[in-house]
Amino acid sequence: MKRELLLHNPRPDGYHVIMELFGCESEKINSRKYLQQTIRTAVKKTGLTNLGSRFHQFDPHGVTGFTLLAQSHISLHTWPEYGYLVLDIFTCGPQSQADLLADHFLERLKPTRVNRQVLRKGYKYNRE
Amino acid sequence: MKRELLLHNPRPDGYHVIMELFGCESEKINSRKYLQQTIRTAVKKTGLTNLGSRFHQFDPHGVTGFTLLAQSHISLHTWPEYGYLVLDIFTCGPQSQADLLADHFLERLKPTRVNRQVLRKGYKYNRE
């Protein structure tokens, strides 16, 4: 049986953390490897299920990528020339999980300023 | 030369359309094929550059997927048992482009109710 058929879709209620990170170190946010590693570690740390990723390195600079999760997704887009990174973390589960993921990115990317918004999704369909 | 090296990262200013679609037809939003086709057509229609996708069909129902664009991304997560779909459209470019994409989804998925928010991103780094 294919692995994907073993997975169940979690309930839809979750948190979408939408962040803009300013003043990041250019070298870090221009490194596809560093960013992929950051996502991998974050996913592992929180026990989420990785369903696959796509990353792309732009010429001359910039990285764009996402990781699809059984619990939704993480995406990032970077503009190293501005030290600017756009990050989305959407996980179906408790807010503490989304926050833990966000904290991991902040520790690794050390922005000087952050714009952060949190949207609740699927709250109509509450956990039992 | 690899195709990806020919691509330039667009300027960061863009629009993130965050939508929740309620009352969608279960069959449509449980079809990975239908949803992938919807994204493919939308991307083609707006002349955006597809950098790759990941889609996943859940057991017993639900689809989750992501398309990475040179201009950012489109993601969707569905809960057919509730007729509920979460859609994100983030494109670096004019708002009309993001709106055109969103309209395409609404036409194809025909929700009875929509929750829609638009966030401006990277506006500090204006177009020239």
Side-chain angles (χ1 to χ4, degrees):
Chain A
M1 186 186 278
K2 280 163 78 184
R3 176 173 165 270
E4 65 177 55
L5 294 176
L6 299 172
L7 286 172
H8 289 260
N9 199 357
R11 298 187 65 78
D13 56 337
Y15 294 86
H16 188 169
V17 183
I18 298 163
M19 296 172 92
E20 291 180 284
L21 277 54
F22 301 91
C24 298
E25 217 179 277
S26 295
E27 208 183 319
K28 279 185 183 163
I29 66 169
N30 198 33
S31 165
R32 174 176 163 162
K33 196 177 158 192
Y34 188 82
L35 296 168
Q36 276 192 283
Q37 185 58 44
T38 302
I39 292 189
R40 247 197 313 269
T41 317
V43 169
K44 208 172 164 186
K45 212 172 173 178
T46 42
L48 295 167
T49 309
N50 188 333
L51 296 177
S53 299
R54 288 268 176 186
F55 281 83
H56 177 88
Q57 178 87 48
F58 286 106
D59 171 41
H61 34 56
V63 176
T64 189
F66 74 87
T67 293
L68 190 64
L69 303 170
Q71 299 81 7
S72 291
H73 72 259
I74 298 172
S75 71
L76 52 83
H77 311 288
T78 81
W79 287 267
E81 67 274 38
Y82 301 116
Y84 178 62
L85 183 148
V86 171
L87 176 66
D88 282 76
I89 296 171
F90 175 26
T91 59
C92 291
Q95 189 169 2
S96 57
Q97 196 174 50
D99 288 342
L100 190 63
L101 284 163
D103 288 348
H104 181 76
F105 281 92
L106 296 179
E107 276 163 31
R108 290 267 294 178
L109 301 171
K110 298 190 175 36
T112 55
R113 191 166 71 79
V114 175
N115 180 6
R116 179 182 186 139
Q117 284 175 271
V118 181
L119 297 181
R120 187 79 197 275
K121 297 274 174 81
Y123 57 88
K124 268 182 63 178
Y125 316 110
N126 281 334
R127 286 181 197 89
E128 270 137 20
Chain B
M1 188 186 275
K2 281 164 79 182
R3 175 172 166 269
E4 64 178 56
L5 293 176
L6 299 171
L7 285 171
H8 288 260
N9 199 358
R11 297 186 67 78
D13 57 337
Y15 294 87
H16 188 170
V17 183
I18 298 164
M19 296 172 92
E20 292 180 284
L21 278 55
F22 301 91
C24 298
E25 219 179 276
S26 295
E27 209 184 318
K28 278 184 183 162
I29 66 169
N30 199 32
S31 165
R32 174 175 162 162
K33 197 177 158 191
Y34 188 82
L35 296 168
Q36 276 191 285
Q37 185 58 44
T38 301
I39 291 189
R40 248 197 312 270
T41 318
V43 169
K44 208 173 164 186
K45 213 173 174 176
T46 42
L48 295 167
T49 309
N50 188 333
L51 297 178
S53 299
R54 288 270 174 183
F55 280 82
H56 177 88
Q57 178 87 49
F58 286 106
D59 172 41
H61 35 56
V63 176
T64 189
F66 206 107
T67 293
L68 189 65
L69 303 169
Q71 299 81 8
S72 290
H73 72 258
I74 299 171
S75 71
L76 52 82
H77 310 288
T78 81
W79 287 268
E81 68 273 38
Y82 302 116
Y84 178 61
L85 182 148
V86 172
L87 176 66
D88 281 77
I89 295 171
F90 175 27
T91 59
C92 291
Q95 188 168 3
S96 57
Q97 196 174 48
D99 288 342
L100 190 63
L101 283 163
D103 288 347
H104 181 76
F105 281 93
L106 297 179
E107 275 163 32
R108 290 268 293 179
L109 301 171
K110 296 189 176 34
T112 55
R113 191 166 71 78
V114 174
N115 181 6
R116 179 182 186 142
Q117 284 175 271
V118 182
L119 297 181
R120 187 79 198 276
K121 297 275 175 80
Y123 56 89
K124 269 182 62 180
Y125 315 110
N126 282 333
R127 285 180 198 91
E128 271 137 20

